[in-house]
Amino acid sequence: MGPLPTDGSQTEEMVDLLFSLAERVRTYAEAVAAEFDLSPSQAAALLRLEKPIPMNELATALTCDRSNVTGIIDRLERRDLVQRQPDSADRRVKRLVLTQAGDRLRSRLHKRLYSDLPNVSGLARELENLGTLLHGTQETDES
Amino acid sequence: MGPLPTDGSQTEEMVDLLFSLAERVRTYAEAVAAEFDLSPSQAAALLRLEKPIPMNELATALTCDRSNVTGIIDRLERRDLVQRQPDSADRRVKRLVLTQAGDRLRSRLHKRLYSDLPNVSGLARELENLGTLLHGTQETDES
DNA sequence: TATTGTTATACTCTATAACTATA
DNA sequence: TATAGTTATAGAGTATAACAATA
């Protein structure tokens, strides 16, 4: 939701940092997805398909309704990135399998996200600040 | 984008934590907004209107196009939470002003977000883990 | 009866382009 | 000419409800 005006309290500062951090991560991931002409949901779906899974399971992973997955997969299938395969054990189920092109795209996407996110400008410092604030204001139960 | 399967490397673990953290913050903020029957964008707009600002400026704050702000504000205005007021200095500009009801809602929303986010389950520990990983893997330039 | 996936519906967000009224 | 806001349009995400096929 982005950074917000602060009244200067310490808790507010921490929440602002959390929002700011989350927004930065989201913005970065969205930009990377866009590089590959993928919407955020499509990218999230692709990343989840390292191994074939039922549509049902993808819906759970994306925390959205099954009916949404139909649309998301429709668009990926139109681009020949994913295939729906029948499940021999349960004929109601369709298993989602990446095509060769889909797998290549997934790899490139994953690499871009995971190699570059830690270097996103300002992120390391925000984490530092959060850590400092956290230690000053509350205990954490590190079992 | 949510947590993802990890191959066990330390950098991957850190990125997974960042995604997980961002997702947790987003999900929480979305749920709170929904309590007030607000979409995420509507909630973000409301929070930005602590002081009256031109629609133009709100678009910048929300990092979206001006045309989107028209729709977002339309919906808030329909619920008598916001008003468009003419700007005496520049007659092209409309300044967005919260109604009394809008201001009350904004306060309640702000309070819910800012008092409860630090206590969201698992968040403190995730920050701890991120801090640990960060210190082990890279330097931060704290001026 | 319950579950998987689809379809239909409706709403919100998003960007682009064309328009208006101002500047 | 340039800017503020609107409108039209089109695509994507979201949830709900109803449906067919299967369990």
Side-chain angles (χ1 to χ4, degrees):
Chain A
M1 240 169 235
L4 295 156
T6 294
D7 74 357
S9 88
Q10 214 174 20
T11 310
E12 285 234 352
E13 198 180 335
M14 179 173 150
V15 173
D16 283 332
L17 271 170
L18 280 170
F19 279 133
S20 173
L21 183 71
E23 182 69 6
R24 205 180 296 273
V25 170
R26 191 192 62 84
T27 301
Y28 171 72
E30 223 175 272
V32 170
E35 287 177 22
F36 298 97
D37 279 307
L38 295 169
S39 73
S41 295
Q42 288 166 6
L46 214 57
L47 289 170
R48 284 287 177 182
L49 292 179
E50 188 172 11
K51 303 226 161 187
I53 55 173
M55 306 194 61
N56 190 23
E57 199 174 319
L58 183 56
T60 302
L62 302 182
T63 54
C64 69
D65 194 80
R66 291 169 190 84
S67 59
N68 302 328
V69 174
T70 298
I72 293 166
I73 295 301
D74 279 351
R75 285 164 216 122
L76 292 176
E77 200 169 30
R78 227 179 285 147
R79 289 168 62 181
D80 285 316
L81 299 172
V82 185
Q83 276 187 339
R84 288 163 159 100
Q85 286 187 357
D87 185 307
S88 45
D90 185 340
R91 282 154 62 199
R92 293 172 303 181
V93 172
K94 294 178 186 169
R95 288 173 73 241
L96 300 171
V97 187
L98 292 183
T99 62
Q100 198 178 7
D103 191 55
R104 271 197 305 267
L105 187 51
R106 201 202 80 90
S107 291
R108 290 201 295 146
L109 176 63
H110 187 278
K111 188 171 181 180
R112 271 285 282 126
L113 282 174
Y114 280 72
S115 62
D116 296 347
L117 180 58
N119 306 316
V120 165
S121 158
L123 205 140
R125 183 172 307 164
E126 276 185 339
L127 283 171
E128 283 296 325
N129 295 343
L130 266 172
T132 306
L133 273 173
L134 198 69
H135 288 131
T137 52
Q138 68 176 106
E139 297 298 305
T140 55
D141 43 26
E142 281 193 295
S143 67
Chain B
M1 238 170 238
L4 295 157
T6 294
D7 74 357
S9 88
Q10 214 174 20
T11 309
E12 285 234 352
E13 198 181 334
M14 179 174 151
V15 173
D16 284 332
L17 272 170
L18 280 170
F19 280 134
S20 173
L21 182 72
E23 183 68 6
R24 205 181 296 274
V25 169
R26 192 191 63 83
T27 301
Y28 171 73
E30 225 175 271
V32 170
E35 287 178 21
F36 298 97
D37 280 306
L38 295 168
S39 74
S41 294
Q42 287 165 6
L46 215 56
L47 288 169
R48 283 288 177 180
L49 292 179
E50 188 172 9
K51 303 226 162 189
I53 55 173
M55 306 194 62
N56 190 23
E57 199 174 319
L58 184 55
T60 303
L62 302 182
T63 53
C64 69
D65 194 80
R66 292 169 188 82
S67 58
N68 302 328
V69 173
T70 298
I72 292 166
I73 294 302
D74 279 350
R75 287 164 215 121
L76 293 176
E77 199 168 32
R78 227 180 284 148
R79 290 168 60 182
D80 285 317
L81 298 172
V82 184
Q83 276 186 340
R84 287 163 158 103
Q85 285 186 358
D87 185 309
S88 45
D90 185 337
R91 282 154 61 197
R92 291 173 304 181
V93 171
K94 293 179 186 170
R95 288 171 74 238
L96 300 171
V97 187
L98 292 183
T99 62
Q100 199 179 5
D103 192 55
R104 272 198 303 268
L105 186 52
R106 200 202 82 90
S107 292
R108 290 201 294 147
L109 176 64
H110 188 277
K111 189 171 181 181
R112 272 286 281 128
L113 283 174
Y114 280 71
S115 62
D116 296 346
L117 180 58
N119 306 315
V120 165
S121 158
L123 205 141
R125 183 171 308 165
E126 276 185 339
L127 284 171
E128 282 297 325
N129 294 343
L130 266 171
T132 305
L133 273 173
L134 197 69
H135 288 132
T137 53
Q138 68 176 108
E139 296 299 304
T140 55
D141 43 27
E142 280 192 294
S143 66

